[in-house]
Amino acid sequence: MDLTSTALTVHEEGNLYYLTFPSFDRTGLVRHCFSTRRGGISQGYFASMNLGFGRGDHETCVLENYRRICYVVGIYAGDLVFSDQVHGDRILYVDQQDRGKGIVQPVEMEEVDGLITDRSQVALVTLYADCVPLYFLDPTKKVIGLAHSGWRGTVQEIGRKMVERFVGDFHSDPQDILAGIGPSIGPCCFEVGPEVVETFAQTFPAWIDDVVRMPAGKGKAHIDLWETNRKILERAGLLPDHITVTDICTTHRPEYFHSHRRSGGNRGSQAAILELR
């Protein structure tokens, strides 16, 4: 296996690979993963572990892929709860009555990019193919959250808004919260046009030199979504050593990850899954 990370733990179960955050594992409070494209049954450009419904893959294949990843992580697939991602900043509380929505029941959530719960056996799911997955766990209050943070979600600071939900709804102390910034497009590959640079400059003026790399000559600028989200979380009150930042770029590793940018949209999806035991 040549998929390695100094930040996340890589798990290999036969030909199925997934990743976890060591800080979350050490608590013993959650089951979680970020999937790869290895270990499923999908074919073509969905091969082989595609966890995205509605992209043209056979539903029976996607369901079997979920059965496989849930089995190795120790989660019952019927407990999964899906969001309805639109690159926004809406965060929804879910509980036991929402289990199965998106896999064995219709998705009822609309325009939701973040999920939060304090209930056990409610498995939160968000989907990815380059955008940034944000994982949250308050081991003191026993609250978890997942947020889908592409560049639009990042400039809307969905990570900060998740922390505010922890504090406002569950009286969390931000210094107790653990966060994980998962595999996604890295600063090496996230080229953007001047309008995106301007949006980041207006939103994060103090950080622009840290998160935007301006090229020499006529090349496009590169934005570091990992560092931007890390700074957002730290400014929201999280301790620096409670934030784990990925070192895996999904665009760079097509043999392990679906990438929207690399494939031009012909791709499957990875899933972030997080459940309180």
Side-chain angles (χ1 to χ4, degrees):
M1 178 178 65
D2 65 346
L3 179 62
T4 60
S5 173
T6 60
L8 288 86
T9 302
V10 182
H11 301 262
E12 180 181 359
E13 299 284 345
N15 65 342
L16 191 154
Y17 295 76
Y18 67 96
L19 301 107
T20 62
F21 290 95
S23 61
F24 283 50
D25 290 328
R26 285 192 293 268
T27 70
L29 294 173
V30 296
R31 301 179 181 92
H32 77 292
C33 71
F34 187 79
S35 68
T36 72
R37 67 184 301 171
R38 297 288 189 90
I41 65 168
S42 296
Q43 301 294 316
Y45 57 74
F46 298 114
S48 65
M49 178 65 74
N50 167 43
L51 297 174
F53 292 104
R55 299 201 59 83
D57 196 3
H58 295 290
E59 183 173 307
T60 54
C61 293
V62 182
L63 288 169
E64 173 61 16
N65 292 341
Y66 271 107
R67 187 196 67 78
R68 293 186 178 198
I69 188 71
C70 287
Y71 177 78
V72 299
V73 177
I75 291 173
Y76 171 54
D79 289 340
L80 299 174
V81 182
F82 288 71
S83 59
D84 174 38
Q85 298 167 198
V86 293
H87 298 277
D89 64 350
R90 185 181 175 212
I91 298 165
L92 185 69
Y93 174 80
V94 294
D95 58 20
Q96 284 92 341
Q97 68 181 357
D98 298 301
R99 291 182 298 186
K101 290 180 178 179
I103 188 162
V104 296
Q105 301 179 49
V107 175
E108 295 181 355
M109 301 77 168
E110 294 184 357
E111 300 184 356
V112 171
D113 280 80
L115 297 171
I116 187 171
T117 192
D118 60 345
R119 303 298 179 177
S120 62
Q121 296 181 302
V122 177
L124 312 180
V125 183
T126 47
L127 300 174
Y128 301 89
D130 283 337
C131 288
V132 181
L134 302 178
Y135 295 68
F136 298 85
L137 166 63
D138 179 347
T140 301
K141 299 296 186 179
K142 296 183 174 57
V143 182
I144 58 172
L146 279 180
H148 166 258
S149 186
W151 75 262
R152 292 177 178 86
T154 298
V155 297
Q156 293 174 83
E157 297 192 58
I158 191 171
R160 171 181 59 81
K161 292 169 183 175
M162 181 67 80
V163 174
E164 290 173 351
R165 288 291 299 271
F166 272 61
V167 174
D169 294 359
F170 304 101
H171 308 292
S172 292
D173 181 340
Q175 294 193 354
D176 290 334
I177 298 172
L178 303 176
I181 299 172
S184 45
I185 192 168
C188 50
C189 294
F190 189 40
E191 292 184 340
V192 299
E195 70 285 353
V196 179
V197 173
E198 179 60 25
T199 300
F200 272 72
Q202 291 176 357
T203 308
F204 310 113
W207 304 343
I208 194 67
D209 292 336
D210 297 325
V211 303
V212 177
R213 301 176 183 177
M214 299 302 297
K218 298 181 179 180
K220 287 188 174 182
H222 287 229
I223 286 181
D224 189 340
L225 294 177
W226 302 343
E227 177 64 8
T228 308
N229 278 286
R230 189 196 67 76
K231 287 178 175 291
I232 289 169
L233 296 178
E234 193 170 324
R235 188 166 68 178
L238 272 66
L239 297 174
D241 62 356
H242 282 188
I243 304 169
T244 302
V245 182
T246 185
D247 55 0
I248 296 175
C249 172
T250 50
T251 308
H252 248 143
R253 302 304 304 270
E255 70 276 30
Y256 284 103
F257 299 99
H258 299 286
S259 167
H260 188 86
R261 177 157 295 210
R262 177 176 284 276
S263 68
N266 296 321
R267 47 80 179 176
S269 299
Q270 283 82 233
I273 305 176
L274 177 60
E275 177 191 73
L276 280 172
R277 292 178 180 270

